Amino acid sequence: MLTLTAVAGDPLVLTRRLDLNGGSEVVFRPLTHTDAHHLAAFLEGLSAESRRLSTFNGYDLAAARELCDAIARYDKLRLVLDEVPSGRIVGLLEFSLDLHSADIARYRRAGIRLAATDCRFGPTLADDYQGKGVGTQVFPLIADVARRFGKKRIILLGGVLADNSRAIRYYEKQGFQTVGSFTGADGVRALDMILDLHLPLGR
């Protein structure tokens, strides 16, 4: 079973090349300490709407450095999509391998007991890569990463905003099931969704 320390020591263990529909290519790989400036360009390039739908603390070089400095220090595994041949980061995929008490409580109210074999996940794509099926093509790799860390189910990191219909359709397409809703501290309604990795992916 993989560990965060092992991935930080050898990022190639999770590095894959992926041919996208339309002929372009990306590299799926762990975030590294040398990515700060490319990651900052990715964050700075996100539109106001993409930022509204994301959960990052900031969208500048300081925020990017904070994410890079956190590698193997906490419970987070962050992977990126690199555009070939430019090397531009066009996606940031976040795993949280530990569970938050608020998530545990919400899912318990929905009749689901979360366990150490569950993880949280949240993706963000560059605006020009959204709505093109990239997330669907990448998702088998995401599911494989979760399994290699010994995880059996995936829940959404921070849920998905109830008004984000495109994301909800995407998650449903991958096999996620809606189990409930909640209102965040900002007063915005979100949905909790869960995926059982023992079941076939997609529909």
Side-chain angles (χ1 to χ4, degrees):
M1 189 167 69
L2 281 179
T3 65
L4 293 175
T5 301
V7 172
D10 182 14
L12 290 177
V13 72
L14 289 181
T15 299
R16 303 287 184 271
R17 294 177 76 92
L18 184 65
D19 293 320
L20 301 178
N21 295 334
S24 59
E25 185 179 15
V26 294
V27 174
F28 172 95
R29 63 170 179 81
L31 183 71
T32 68
H33 293 287
T34 62
D35 282 325
H37 286 278
H38 283 166
L39 184 59
F42 166 77
L43 294 172
E44 290 166 356
L46 293 174
S47 67
E49 178 64 4
S50 291
R51 294 184 185 195
R52 183 182 75 86
L53 300 174
S54 70
T55 58
F56 304 118
N57 292 328
Y59 299 87
D60 55 13
L61 181 57
R65 283 176 171 158
E66 183 177 344
L67 294 176
C68 292
D69 288 344
I71 293 172
R73 290 180 56 197
Y74 305 107
D75 71 312
K76 300 293 190 298
L77 172 67
R78 295 182 173 96
L79 302 115
V80 296
L81 298 177
D82 278 346
E83 184 180 66
V84 177
S86 71
R88 170 189 166 217
I89 291 178
V90 297
L92 178 58
L93 314 166
E94 296 192 287
F95 281 97
S96 182
L97 301 177
D98 291 339
L99 298 171
H100 193 282
S101 58
D103 295 319
I104 294 170
R106 286 200 317 276
Y107 276 81
R108 184 181 293 123
R109 288 194 294 271
I112 298 173
R113 290 193 171 273
L114 298 180
T117 51
D118 299 324
C119 64
R120 302 186 292 161
F121 169 73
T124 304
L125 294 177
D127 285 71
D128 58 327
Y129 272 72
Q130 296 175 18
K132 297 181 178 179
V134 176
T136 295
Q137 289 187 262
V138 170
F139 198 78
L141 298 179
I142 292 165
D144 180 64
V145 169
R147 292 189 185 101
R148 293 181 70 180
F149 274 85
K151 303 303 181 180
K152 298 179 180 178
R153 296 184 298 189
I154 300 175
I155 68 172
L156 299 183
L157 185 61
V160 56
L161 295 185
D163 67 353
N164 190 355
S165 57
R166 185 166 69 179
I168 292 169
R169 286 194 301 270
Y170 164 70
Y171 290 123
E172 289 175 342
K173 185 176 181 181
Q174 310 317 314
F176 281 81
Q177 300 290 322
T178 300
V179 299
S181 66
F182 64 97
T183 301
D186 55 2
V188 177
R189 181 170 168 264
L191 304 181
D192 278 320
M193 302 182 77
I194 190 168
L195 172 68
D196 187 336
L197 290 168
H198 288 125
L199 299 176
L201 294 180
R203 295 183 177 179

